[in-house]
């Protein structure tokens, strides 16, 4: 136990690791604060959900429409007093006032008009949901992906088969009315991208940098400090490498948890998601582009968030294993880091050099390096190379088995090699 505590002390007293940890947390705070200027706009949805709930059905649409009409009349009373005009929408009101309304209306009135504008956006978007989904053709999307990546032969057939499976899920989603739930308007605020593309991606890369540094630092500490002849000739001997691996895993999980808690804690303090935790992630309002986000399973926002965090922890185990195997062969922490970076880059370009008419083109996608690139479309329709129902689980499972095998070989090899 003393050996493992001493190994842990090496990590928590390392100025480089502590400095990077602080730097990464500050960087994440900057990402969050840079986008906090519209946080008050998001509170309008909280008020709507408090009044009507987030599920959109016929009764909700009628009540919501009546409420919108009441608020529009209120707007016209205010405008009539100031300008002797009437409007049938807030958008037309703003068109008549292209240079601002600060000189005519006070702060409270401007706040009301702004909130009504957002309310109006929800009102009209509710009305367009059925039309938007009636035009979605999953197989047309498959052909678009095939053309986009110039796939042919067996590769094109595989994509068609996967999207055929996803087509069943699409019809299930429509029948379950998962798309008919209120959420932040994705095309305006892009909250899904902010959280899962910008913040999560930053967090993942920060964690990987620390995982590689910590694992390589611990495994190669004795060689970097010329103490290998002492450390590996003690009673514990070569088994010390297993203690280092154990502490590397613990340290990597600990640093990842610190980054996740601080970053996500601040994010959810700034942006209010109250009342929205159980909204399906496949809600139409979450859509940011022409093709909505659609998950393979019925997942709420909180389930998607927890699953994504779980996938990050699984990735930590994979990258710890990869770094450990490299570090048992290369006895220098910084060289291990650069070798890891080269391997990372090579795995990312594999899909680009594989033949486009063969299923081997998909192999490059089933790697932890490719997996972590797009956290905003995990568990979803996500393009030609990753729209497989169990893509995330398959990738993690296969690589865990491979790393256990190669890790065991690396340990045996280390125990026999000359020090």
């Amino acid at each position: 136990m003393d050996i493992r505590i001493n190994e842990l002390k090496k990590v928590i007293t390392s100025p480089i690791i502590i400095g990077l940890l602080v730097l990464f947390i500050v960087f994440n705070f900057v990402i969050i604060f840079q986008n906090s200027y519209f946080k008050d706009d998001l509170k309008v949805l909280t008020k709507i959900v408090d009044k009507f709930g987030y599920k959109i059905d016929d009764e909700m649409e009628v009540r919501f429409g009546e409420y919108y009409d009441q608020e529009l009349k209120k707007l016209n009373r205010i405008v009539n007093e100031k300008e002797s005009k009437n409007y049938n929408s807030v958008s037309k009101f703003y068109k008549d006032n292209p240079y601002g309304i600060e000189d005519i209306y006070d702060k409270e009135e401007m706040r009301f008009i702004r909130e009504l504008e957002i309310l109006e956006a929800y009102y009209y978007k509710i009305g367009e949901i059925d039309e938007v989904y009636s035009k979605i053709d999953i197989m047309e999307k498959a052909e678009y992906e095939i053309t986009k990546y110039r796939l042919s032969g067996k590769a094109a057939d595989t994509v068609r088969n996967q999207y055929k499976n996803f087509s069943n899920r699409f019809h299930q989603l429509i029948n379950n009315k998962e798309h008919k739930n209120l959420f932040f308007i994705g095309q305006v605020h892009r909250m899904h991208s902010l959280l899962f593309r910008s913040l999560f991606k930053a967090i993942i890369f920060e964690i990987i940098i620390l995982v590689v540094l910590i694992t390589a630092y611990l495994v190669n500490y004795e060689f970097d400090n010329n103490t290998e002849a002492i450390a590996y000739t003690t009673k514990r001997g070569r088994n010390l490498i297993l203690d280092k691996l154990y502490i590397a895993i613990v340290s990597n999980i600990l640093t990842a948890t610190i980054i996740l808690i601080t970053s996500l804690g601040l994010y959810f303090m700034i942006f209010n998601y109250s009342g929205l935790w159980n909204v399906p992630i496949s809600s139409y309002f979450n859509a940011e582009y022409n093709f909505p986000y659609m998950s393979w399973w019925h997942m709420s926002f909180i389930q998607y968030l927890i699953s994504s965090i779980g996938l990050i922890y699984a990735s930590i185990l994979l990258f710890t294993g990869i770094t450990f195997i490299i570090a048992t062969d290369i006895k220098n922490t910084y060289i291990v880091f650069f070798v890891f970076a080269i391997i990372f880059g090579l795995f990312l370009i594999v899909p680009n050099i594989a033949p486009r008419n063969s299923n081997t083109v998909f192999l490059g996608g089933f790697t932890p390096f490719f997996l972590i690139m797009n956290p905003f479309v995990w568990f979803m329709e996500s393009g030609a190379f990753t729209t497989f129902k169990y893509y995330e689980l398959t990738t993690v499972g296969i690589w865990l088995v491979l790393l256990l095998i190669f890790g065991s070989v690396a340990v045996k090899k280390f125990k026999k090699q000359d020090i």
Side-chain angles (χ1 to χ4, degrees):
M1 182 58 75
D2 287 343
I3 292 173
R4 292 184 175 183
I5 291 173
N6 286 329
E7 292 297 322
L8 185 61
K9 282 181 181 175
K10 292 172 185 171
V11 176
I12 60 178
T13 57
S14 167
I16 293 177
I17 292 168
I18 294 171
L20 280 176
L21 185 62
V22 172
L23 181 68
F24 290 155
I25 291 172
V26 171
F27 180 73
N28 295 341
F29 283 8
V30 171
I31 292 175
I32 295 167
F33 281 119
Q34 274 183 336
N35 292 280
S36 63
Y37 61 91
F38 56 76
K39 63 178 181 180
D40 289 337
D41 287 354
L42 304 181
K43 293 176 183 173
V44 177
L45 176 60
T46 306
K47 293 178 184 175
I48 295 173
V49 170
D50 284 345
K51 277 183 182 295
F52 307 105
Y54 57 77
K55 291 186 178 176
I56 301 168
D57 53 25
D58 293 342
E59 183 188 347
M60 182 270 188
E61 286 190 55
V62 170
R63 290 174 57 215
F64 190 77
E66 290 172 351
Y67 178 69
Y68 169 68
D69 289 339
Q70 288 173 14
E71 295 299 287
L72 197 60
K73 286 175 184 173
K74 191 175 171 182
L75 169 73
N76 280 321
R77 282 199 295 273
I78 296 170
V79 174
N80 229 318
E81 285 179 11
K82 305 273 184 175
E83 303 182 77
S84 300
K85 292 179 180 177
N86 281 297
Y87 293 94
N88 58 10
S89 71
V90 184
S91 57
K92 288 186 178 175
F93 165 79
Y94 275 115
K95 277 184 183 175
D96 272 3
N97 294 278
Y99 302 110
I101 58 175
E102 293 82 2
D103 296 336
I104 307 171
Y105 299 93
D106 61 33
K107 282 187 178 178
E108 186 60 26
E109 290 167 339
M110 287 193 294
R111 184 192 60 75
F112 167 74
I113 295 169
R114 174 60 184 157
E115 289 188 358
L116 183 55
E117 184 188 22
I118 298 169
L119 185 82
E120 184 175 279
Y122 279 100
Y123 176 72
Y124 283 110
K125 279 208 158 288
I126 287 174
E128 70 185 30
I129 294 176
D130 288 336
E131 185 185 352
V132 169
Y133 280 77
S134 69
K135 293 179 180 175
I136 292 177
D137 185 335
I138 298 297
M139 295 316 295
E140 188 180 310
K141 172 71 172 170
E143 294 303 325
Y144 169 79
E145 292 290 324
I146 290 168
T147 305
K148 180 180 175 182
Y149 294 105
R150 302 189 305 281
L151 301 176
S152 60
K154 289 183 179 178
D157 291 341
T158 299
V159 173
R160 288 191 187 97
N161 288 334
Q162 293 310 311
Y163 273 87
K164 197 177 289 180
N165 292 336
F166 192 79
S167 180
N168 297 330
R169 164 59 185 151
F170 173 69
H171 292 298
Q172 182 195 51
L173 184 152
I174 299 292
N175 291 333
N176 293 343
K177 300 187 185 303
E178 291 172 46
H179 58 314
K180 287 196 166 187
N181 288 277
L182 292 175
F183 201 69
F184 303 122
I185 300 177
Q187 290 170 347
V188 177
H189 297 116
R190 303 191 190 283
M191 295 301 288
H192 187 82
S193 280
L194 174 59
L195 177 56
F196 293 106
R197 189 200 288 249
S198 301
L199 188 58
F200 255 65
K201 201 164 183 176
I203 287 172
I204 289 168
F205 276 91
E206 291 160 0
I207 288 173
I208 290 173
I209 290 171
L210 287 170
V211 163
V212 176
L213 280 178
I214 289 171
T215 307
Y217 174 65
L218 282 176
V219 173
N220 281 328
Y221 183 88
E222 314 305 336
F223 298 98
D224 289 337
N225 292 278
N226 298 318
T227 55
E228 71 274 13
I230 301 172
Y232 291 115
T233 54
T234 60
K235 186 178 179 183
R236 183 67 177 158
R238 301 294 178 95
N239 286 325
L240 178 61
I241 199 74
L242 295 175
D243 295 314
K244 289 177 178 291
L245 175 61
Y246 176 81
I247 294 302
I249 293 172
V250 170
S251 302
N252 292 336
I253 290 174
L254 183 65
T255 51
T257 303
I258 292 171
I259 291 177
L260 282 166
I261 288 178
T262 52
S263 303
L264 295 182
L266 181 67
Y267 178 89
F268 288 111
M269 283 173 64
I270 298 285
F271 301 109
N272 184 4
Y273 277 69
S274 58
L276 302 173
W277 297 104
N278 293 314
V279 172
I281 200 73
S282 304
S283 163
Y284 168 61
F285 283 88
N286 199 29
E288 297 175 346
Y289 304 98
N290 293 334
F291 202 83
Y293 292 116
M294 289 187 276
S295 60
W296 274 102
W297 299 275
H298 187 315
M299 298 178 81
S300 64
F301 170 78
I302 186 65
Q303 287 172 332
Y304 188 86
L305 178 66
I306 291 171
S307 301
S308 299
I309 292 172
L311 201 50
I312 288 178
Y313 280 108
S315 300
I316 289 171
L317 294 179
L318 298 182
F319 286 110
T320 301
I322 293 168
T323 311
F324 175 78
I325 292 169
I326 298 171
T328 52
D329 257 345
I330 300 173
K331 305 292 188 291
N332 181 288
T333 301
Y334 298 105
I335 294 177
V336 169
F337 187 85
F338 286 113
V339 168
F340 178 89
I342 292 169
I343 292 173
F344 195 120
L346 289 175
F347 268 101
L348 288 185
I349 63 173
V350 165
N352 293 323
I353 59 176
R356 301 273 159 173
N357 60 352
S358 164
N359 282 330
T360 54
V361 75
F362 300 109
L363 293 179
F366 284 84
T367 69
F369 307 97
F370 205 87
L371 173 69
I372 60 167
M373 296 305 292
N374 298 305
F376 64 104
V377 285
W378 282 342
F379 315 109
M380 291 184 174
E381 184 288 319
S382 51
F385 295 99
T386 52
T387 298
F388 295 86
K389 189 170 185 177
Y390 299 104
Y391 164 69
E392 292 81 9
L393 294 175
T394 304
T395 304
V396 170
I398 290 173
W399 276 78
L400 269 179
V401 172
L402 288 175
L403 289 170
L404 279 173
I405 295 170
F406 286 108
S408 300
V409 172
V411 170
K412 285 182 181 176
K413 184 181 168 189
F414 178 81
K415 287 182 177 180
K416 293 177 181 175
Q417 67 186 200
D418 294 333
I419 299 286

